[in-house]
Amino acid sequence: MTPNVLFAAGAKQWATYEAPLRRALDRSGVAAHLATELPPEEVDYIVYAPGSAVQDFTPFTRARAVLNLWAGVEKIVGNPTLHLPLARMVDHGLTQGMMEWVTGHVLRHHLGMDAHILHQDGVWRPDVPPLAGDRRVSVLGLGALGSACAQMLATLGFPVTGWSRRPKHISGLRCLSGEGGLRQTLAEADILVLLLPLTPETENLLDAARLALLPRGAVIVNPGRGPLIDDDALLAALDAGHLGHATLDVFRSEPLPREHPFWAHPGVTVTPHIASETRPDTAAQVIAENIRRGEAGEPFLHLVDPKAGY
Ligand code: NAP
């Protein structure tokens, strides 16, 4: 029977994703019926994004999976009506974009680019930056995005330490876990990159006490989620000169309110949640592959663990 796929990710995403999804389904050999409106009891798969009109999954009695278009699932994983498998997005294009963004911002701080870009004032400043081997980078979160970024930075020559919930071995990286591992990871971070998901365990992970563990002058680059950092503690650490800079792509409230002190703080760079995004052509292939798997009775890719929250 032809599976029914409900696209429940909003009209704007439909305009972007309809053609790539139809192409990807064709290529994967799945003759699916893809639509933005279907009777809930006839839906087999739900393509989803936070902010969707679908908030109650109870009427989707025969659905087999919810396929999230985005990597982060914090806005859906706790939905009490969701008892279906939930797959998140792991997309080659998303990963590539994040590697480029993280590498660019790490290199900005490593090379001290601001000194020359922001001060074209006639003063000759012949300070040669150190080599990457002399700049320690730590990455919190070694999942699809964190591990790719960490490996890219290690390839450039940075000594990279990564931290994850479960112990890991990743070529070219020093991998740590647990509270002791976190303390060590922070203590040795000249530049700290955050690529953790937002869960009850990671919220406010970087509080005043943990920020104090960073070496004086350390720089934070956060494309993970805003609530990973205690905003007030971050501002206090910057004001005290303990931190050198924070480049923030994600915030507790987005768009970041105009009156938020981050906008005016000289030690903060705000970017508007653009570090990376799901790319329609590659992401559509991931969705189509999961539908193919569902139809073939094979395990879904990239399933979320509801207990862990990511
Ligand atoms: P992922 O593959 O699920 O990886 C998450 C990583 O975080 C894993 O290494 C996991 O450890 C670790 N982790 C989770 N909870 C932890 C805890 N309590 N303590 C220590 N480590 C913990 O996620 P991803 O695809 O790499 O994405 C990471 C996040 O990036 C997303 O959740 C989203 O918030 C953010 N993101 C941002 C943008 C943007 O444009 N700014 C775009 C996409 C995604 P284990 O390996 O042990 O499981």
Side-chain angles (χ1 to χ4, degrees):
M1 208 168 70
T2 302
N4 287 326
V5 180
L6 177 67
F7 188 90
K12 188 170 162 239
Q13 301 305 339
W14 178 242
T16 308
Y17 278 87
E18 182 189 1
L21 272 173
R22 291 197 189 285
R23 274 198 302 275
L25 285 164
D26 274 357
R27 274 196 220 115
S28 67
V30 180
H33 173 56
L34 175 67
T36 53
E37 283 185 26
L38 288 165
E41 65 282 3
E42 293 177 16
V43 169
D44 296 294
Y45 303 92
I46 304 170
V47 178
Y48 195 83
S52 164
V54 174
Q55 293 299 323
D56 179 6
F57 292 93
T58 318
F60 295 92
T61 45
R62 88 173 192 206
R64 279 176 257 171
V66 176
L67 309 173
N68 203 44
L69 271 185
W70 311 146
V73 292
E74 71 273 10
K75 291 195 176 134
I76 178 179
V77 70
N79 185 317
T81 67
L82 180 63
H83 303 292
L84 296 163
L86 169 64
R88 62 188 208 93
M89 182 51 65
V90 176
D91 159 36
H92 170 72
L94 172 74
T95 304
Q96 177 67 28
M98 187 60 81
M99 287 195 298
E100 293 178 12
W101 189 90
V102 166
T103 303
H105 284 276
V106 166
L107 285 176
R108 168 194 169 195
H109 296 297
H110 166 61
L111 296 174
M113 289 181 181
D114 289 7
H116 307 288
I117 295 168
L118 303 179
H119 306 293
Q120 295 284 307
D121 52 6
V123 179
W124 191 253
R125 295 184 181 86
D127 302 323
V128 176
L131 292 176
D134 294 322
R135 184 89 65 191
R136 301 162 301 174
V137 178
S138 292
V139 180
L140 302 189
L142 289 174
L145 300 177
S147 61
C149 292
Q151 285 187 299
M152 171 63 84
L153 294 168
T155 302
L156 289 175
F158 292 101
V160 182
T161 301
W163 182 73
S164 58
R165 189 165 62 95
R166 296 162 289 193
K168 276 191 157 49
H169 297 281
I170 301 176
S171 166
L173 310 180
R174 181 173 66 148
C175 298
L176 302 175
S177 58
E179 182 60 33
L182 177 59
R183 295 177 70 82
Q184 201 176 340
T185 306
L186 294 177
E188 297 174 16
D190 298 322
I191 300 177
L192 179 70
V193 179
L194 302 184
L195 273 166
L196 291 163
L198 179 58
T199 70
E201 281 70 42
T202 63
E203 185 163 5
N204 288 322
L205 186 86
L206 284 190
D207 57 11
R210 293 211 178 91
L211 289 172
L213 296 173
L214 290 163
R216 191 167 180 82
V219 165
I220 293 179
V221 177
N222 183 16
R225 282 291 181 263
L228 298 174
I229 312 180
D230 177 330
D231 287 2
D232 292 338
L234 176 64
L235 287 165
L238 286 161
D239 289 340
H242 180 66
L243 293 183
H245 198 90
T247 294
L248 309 175
D249 185 56
V250 283
F251 305 90
R252 280 164 201 273
S253 175
E254 294 182 7
L256 183 66
R258 290 183 76 86
E259 64 280 8
H260 197 287
F262 284 160
W263 281 115
H265 199 290
V268 177
T269 298
V270 171
T271 63
H273 202 145
I274 44 80
S276 190
E277 69 173 356
T278 300
R279 312 290 154 152
D281 281 329
T282 42
Q285 290 167 28
V286 177
I287 300 279
E289 169 61 9
N290 256 343
I291 293 172
R292 188 202 65 74
R293 283 171 169 254
E295 292 306 287
E298 296 171 21
F300 292 112
L301 295 172
H302 317 310
L303 281 179
V304 169
D305 172 356
K307 284 205 188 83
Y310 68 96

